[in-house]
Amino acid sequence: MRFDVFTLFPGLIEPYINESILERARMRGLLEVHVHDIRAYATDRHHVTDEPPYGGGGGMVMKCEPVFNAVESVLGAPPACPVILLTPQGRVFTQQVAMELSQYPHLALLCGRYEGVDERVREHLVTDEISIGDYVLTGGELPALILMDAITRLIPGALGDPDGAIDDSHASGLLEYPHYTRPAEFRGWKVPEVLLSGNHAEIARWRRRQALLRTLQRRPDLLEKAPLSEEDRKFLEQLRKSPDESGA
Ligand code: ADE
C-alpha cells in the first residue's frame, strides 16, 4: 500500500509513521508513505498557501494553485489513485470504510487546514471526502494518520498475528470480547476459569457470548447490522429477558 500525504505540516506526520506497527510494515515493504509539503509547491516569492475568503467572513482558505501543483506534480493529472480530502464534511470513517480503502494499492490524502480548501479543489481534484467524526479539529493531519493506521493494520502481514484483525471490535460488526493475560490471579481478581481450561470450543463460545453481551450493553445499535447466527439471536433473547442468568 502506498500513501501520498499532502500537508502544510509534514512534521506532524513523520513521527507517527516512524514508530511501531507502521514502521514495521514499512520495513517489511508492505507500506510506503510519501509526505509532501504543499508550501513547497506555491510558486510566488513568499510561498503563500492561504488567503482570506472572497465575500469576507474571516478565516483563511487554502488556495487552489499550491494544492493542484503539489498533487499533480507527484501523481500526474488527473491522478490515477483516489484523492481523499480529510474534512468534517466528509462521509464518516468506520471499519467498513477502512476495509473498503484497504483494497486500493495507492491512496492520496489531502489534509485541509484553516477554514477549508477552495471549493474548486473539492470539485476538480478530490475524489472522496472523509471525516473521522462529528467534531472539528485544527486540520486533517490527525485524521490522515488515523486512516493510515486503520488501513495499514488490515494489510495481510502488517500485524504480527495473521488473524490479528479478524476479531477486532467492529471487524465482525460486534465489539470485541475481553482479554486477559498472566497472572491468573491479580489482587484476588481471577481470570475466568474457561480461559484456562484449554477447551477451545468452550473458549470460542464464551468469547462469542461476551462479544454479544458487551455489544448489547454498550452499543446496541451495532446489533441491528451485525451478522448473527440463530444461536447468537437466542442468546441475545435470553439476555434481554434475564440479563443475570445468561451464563455469558
Ligand atoms: N479536519 C478537521 N476536522 C476533521 C474531522 N473531524 N475529520 C476529518 N478532517 C477534519
Side-chain angles (χ1 to χ4, degrees), residues 1-235:
M1 166 66 85
R2 169 174 167 157
F3 292 105
D4 283 89
V5 185
F6 297 88
T7 169
L8 289 169
F9 298 93
L12 291 178
I13 305 291
E14 309 273 0
Y16 193 79
I17 60 174
N18 288 336
E19 297 279 345
S20 188
I21 288 179
L22 270 68
E23 165 67 354
R24 206 174 59 197
R26 288 169 62 203
M27 288 300 171
R28 289 179 177 163
L30 299 171
L31 173 67
E32 238 180 90
V33 183
H34 300 264
V35 184
H36 310 281
D37 185 353
I38 294 171
R39 193 172 305 280
Y41 294 87
T43 50
D44 65 300
R45 212 153 54 92
H46 298 291
H47 294 282
V48 174
T49 55
D50 58 300
E51 303 248 23
Y54 277 123
M60 297 293 264
V61 176
M62 281 171 69
K63 287 162 63 69
C64 283
E65 197 209 13
V67 174
F68 272 87
N69 275 351
V71 174
E72 291 178 344
S73 303
V74 174
L75 303 175
C81 67
V83 178
I84 301 171
L85 175 67
L86 286 312
T87 163
Q89 298 188 11
R91 60 189 176 121
V92 176
F93 190 58
T94 60
Q95 192 65 25
Q96 202 66 41
V97 177
M99 288 193 253
E100 171 200 322
L101 295 177
S102 72
Q103 305 304 310
Y104 290 95
H106 187 183
L107 295 170
L109 305 178
L110 175 56
C111 306
R113 277 263 149 184
Y114 313 113
E115 296 307 300
V117 298
D118 188 298
E119 191 64 17
R120 290 163 290 187
V121 170
R122 277 209 155 93
E123 287 172 353
H124 304 294
L125 185 65
V126 162
T127 59
D128 197 358
E129 300 184 29
I130 289 185
S131 164
I132 59 159
D134 291 342
Y135 41 84
V136 181
L137 302 167
T138 53
E141 284 76 12
L142 281 172
L145 286 172
I146 285 170
L147 256 70
M148 287 195 285
D149 189 293
I151 293 168
T152 299
R153 58 192 296 294
L154 295 176
I155 301 171
L159 297 178
D161 174 357
D163 295 335
I166 292 176
D167 278 339
D168 284 343
S169 288
H170 298 293
S172 63
L174 298 176
L175 300 184
E176 206 181 352
Y177 51 78
H179 300 276
Y180 296 88
T181 189
R182 285 189 288 190
E185 184 172 337
F186 174 71
R187 297 187 179 172
W189 302 312
K190 292 194 173 117
V191 170
E193 202 66 46
V194 59
L195 297 178
L196 310 177
S197 69
N199 183 335
H200 295 293
E202 273 304 307
I203 292 171
R205 203 165 86 105
W206 181 85
R207 285 181 167 163
R208 182 72 188 173
R209 291 183 158 205
Q210 286 291 322
L212 291 164
L213 175 63
R214 201 156 259 217
T215 309
L216 180 67
Q217 286 169 338
R218 298 182 186 200
R219 290 292 305 277
D221 56 301
L222 296 178
L223 291 173
E224 282 159 33
K225 283 196 199 149
L228 298 175
S229 68
E230 197 47 44
E231 191 182 335
D232 292 338
R233 284 180 201 287
K234 278 195 191 133
F235 177 66

